[in-house]
Amino acid sequence: MNPPRHTQVAVVGAGPAGLLLALLLRRSGVDCVVLESRDRSYVEQRQRAGILEQSTVDTLRRAGAAARLDREGLPHDGIELRFGVRRHRIDFPALTGGRRVWVYAQTEVVKDLVALQLQEGGPLLFEAPVRAVTGAAADADHCTVHYLHRGQETTLTCDYVVGCDGHHGVVRRAAPQGARSVHERTFPYSWLGILAEAPPCYDELVYAHSERGFALASMRSPAVSRLYLQVPNGTEPDAWPHERIWEELDARFGADRTWRLNRGPITRKSVLPMRSSVTEPMRFGRVLLAGDAAHIVPPTGAKGLNLAASDVTVLARAFVHLYETGSAQLLDSYSDTCLRRVWRAEHFSHFMTTTLHIAPGQSSFDTRLQLSQLDRIATSPHAAAELAENYTGLPTGP
């Protein structure tokens, strides 16, 4: 089959942002093509976030992409905070009027969306790396995407291009020189993450503040644990033998020495740097950014995938409004609308990160401030509600 030559919206990147945008557009009658530089196997195995906000689940359900999520996803009604020798549960539904989150890995979201895209005939081209995007100027009447298809230079003309190809993607660099501002912060620690064939011994996520460093107990399924340790930047995964990982996890979670994790074979280890980044604006003429192409958050607040879903929900609504009415009002306000939520999520993720981690050389004064903040959350319904509302997700859109 010959590659398409023209479309209304070209979507670059077949991660959850690009695939969900394509699904929302297709269901509303807007023509689009998705281009992905990697092969299908790689895309479906990229390990990323595993927590879905209520609004993300609602969007997937409305789009007809939540059948397996509803069968296999794990709904969670809270998280547990551990600090000192204390354990405190945050009850999401009680504090937010009924909202909750779901544990459902990004790999599974992507598999579901890829299957729908291919099943319903929407053009999705794997191994089609984009080389350049032209036509980003405000007065351009169309864009052109230059990419490789089966080793041949190919072009795709379109009304708009949406970059869902990540922080280092091609689309982000298509903005005219000086047209964008980038705000960034790098944190002085990383996460060592593992997947283990061990049933979680906890029902909900556990966030632990320890003098030894932060730890997080999550899960992928009732039989697979997903666990994280704060480690120094530059750490190599092989520097942590399996036994050392288990011992350190037990030490950080079990400050009162009464709690131990279930152990099992560790099937994957990786180190994840912690950083924040926001690109403003998220639109440059006919080129728009969504998801990681526009913003990065540290994973402590579980916001990355959910921000991407929020972006494309707003963007799909704007494109549908444009093609149905001829009005660009919603498209013109896309960047401002999304950035309000982005900066709120950045603030929450920064708060969770700096409250729970021990920075190199941190003073006892700063540690006591952290413990005071955690005590405030544990003793004040208002402080607990603020955390719960941000964790389960703020409203999408204006």
Side-chain angles (χ1 to χ4, degrees):
M1 183 179 69
N2 292 327
R5 293 293 186 179
H6 181 77
T7 189
Q8 290 175 306
V9 179
V11 179
V12 181
L19 291 167
L20 180 56
L21 175 61
L23 178 63
L24 295 172
L25 293 177
R26 189 171 67 254
R27 292 281 163 83
S28 298
V30 178
D31 187 42
C32 67
V33 174
V34 182
L35 303 173
E36 167 58 46
S37 62
R38 303 282 194 160
D39 62 30
R40 179 177 179 178
S41 176
Y42 181 91
V43 168
E44 292 184 339
Q45 295 304 317
R46 275 189 291 220
Q47 292 289 334
R48 293 291 189 275
I51 304 296
L52 305 183
E53 294 175 359
Q54 180 79 59
S55 61
T56 301
V57 172
D58 292 344
T59 297
L60 291 168
R61 284 174 174 162
R62 287 193 298 269
R68 196 159 67 92
L69 163 62
D70 284 331
R71 290 196 309 270
E72 302 175 15
L74 304 175
H76 282 198
D77 287 335
I79 59 172
E80 182 179 302
L81 299 177
R82 296 191 179 191
F83 54 102
V85 294
R86 299 171 63 180
R87 299 169 61 173
H88 179 76
R89 181 174 183 268
I90 306 294
D91 186 330
F92 291 158
L95 293 164
T96 65
R99 296 207 303 272
R100 60 196 338 194
V101 297
W102 276 255
V103 172
Y104 191 66
Q106 176 172 311
T107 52
E108 306 314 301
V109 174
V110 169
K111 289 173 187 175
D112 296 342
L113 293 172
V114 166
L116 281 172
Q117 184 80 3
L118 296 176
Q119 169 188 319
E120 298 179 6
L124 168 55
L125 303 183
F126 290 106
E127 299 180 85
V130 171
R131 301 304 195 191
V133 174
T134 56
D139 58 350
D141 59 2
H142 72 279
C143 285
T144 303
V145 181
H146 305 262
Y147 69 101
L148 288 180
H149 182 255
R150 296 176 180 170
Q152 299 295 316
E153 294 282 351
T154 309
T155 59
L156 174 69
T157 60
C158 53
D159 299 336
Y160 297 92
V161 176
V162 181
C164 300
D165 52 344
H167 185 74
H168 300 291
V170 173
V171 179
R172 192 165 168 272
R173 300 195 298 269
Q177 189 70 26
R180 61 178 178 169
S181 298
V182 181
H183 312 279
E184 296 182 300
R185 172 163 186 183
T186 299
F187 293 88
Y189 32 71
S190 300
W191 278 9
L192 172 67
I194 68 165
L195 279 176
E197 294 178 356
C201 59
Y202 39 88
D203 296 325
E204 297 169 334
L205 273 66
V206 181
Y207 287 77
H209 175 285
S210 160
E211 290 185 357
R212 304 173 68 97
F214 169 76
L216 170 62
S218 182
M219 61 195 71
R220 281 294 177 261
S221 74
V224 178
S225 296
R226 182 68 161 151
L227 299 151
Y228 299 93
L229 284 169
Q230 176 188 337
V231 295
N233 286 343
T235 295
E236 292 293 333
D238 290 343
W240 283 77
H242 292 187
E243 185 63 24
R244 182 188 178 194
I245 291 172
W246 290 117
E247 292 295 333
E248 189 64 25
L249 285 165
D250 281 341
R252 296 189 192 186
F253 285 117
D256 58 1
R257 304 186 184 281
T258 64
W259 196 77
R260 292 290 183 271
L261 294 162
N262 291 328
R263 298 190 180 190
I266 294 175
T267 58
R268 183 168 300 182
K269 287 191 298 183
S270 60
V271 171
L272 175 67
M274 306 282 283
R275 61 194 176 102
S276 300
S277 176
V278 178
T279 297
E280 295 182 320
M282 292 170 59
R283 179 188 177 187
F284 312 96
R286 293 181 175 270
V287 174
L288 303 101
L289 305 178
D292 286 358
H295 40 72
I296 302 287
V297 290
T300 326
K303 293 295 154 215
L305 186 154
N306 296 294
L307 277 181
S310 175
D311 289 348
V312 299
T313 300
V314 172
L315 187 53
R317 190 182 304 137
F319 277 133
V320 172
H321 184 71
L322 171 69
Y323 286 112
E324 286 183 348
T325 69
S327 169
Q329 178 183 359
L330 295 183
L331 200 60
D332 291 341
S333 63
Y334 164 70
S335 182
D336 288 341
T337 298
C338 288
L339 283 170
R340 282 194 293 273
R341 195 176 199 269
V342 167
W343 279 113
R344 181 65 250 157
E346 290 283 359
H347 186 276
F348 176 66
S349 298
H350 182 272
F351 165 77
M352 290 287 285
T353 302
T354 55
T355 300
L356 291 164
H357 290 72
I358 302 295
Q362 179 167 305
S363 69
S364 61
F365 184 89
D366 288 334
T367 301
R368 293 297 298 170
L369 289 179
Q370 291 175 322
L371 293 172
S372 174
Q373 179 62 56
L374 291 166
D375 177 71
R376 168 72 176 166
I377 293 168
T379 56
S380 165
H382 300 291
E386 177 71 9
L387 189 154
E389 288 173 359
N390 280 276
Y391 198 101
T392 56
L394 300 176
T396 295

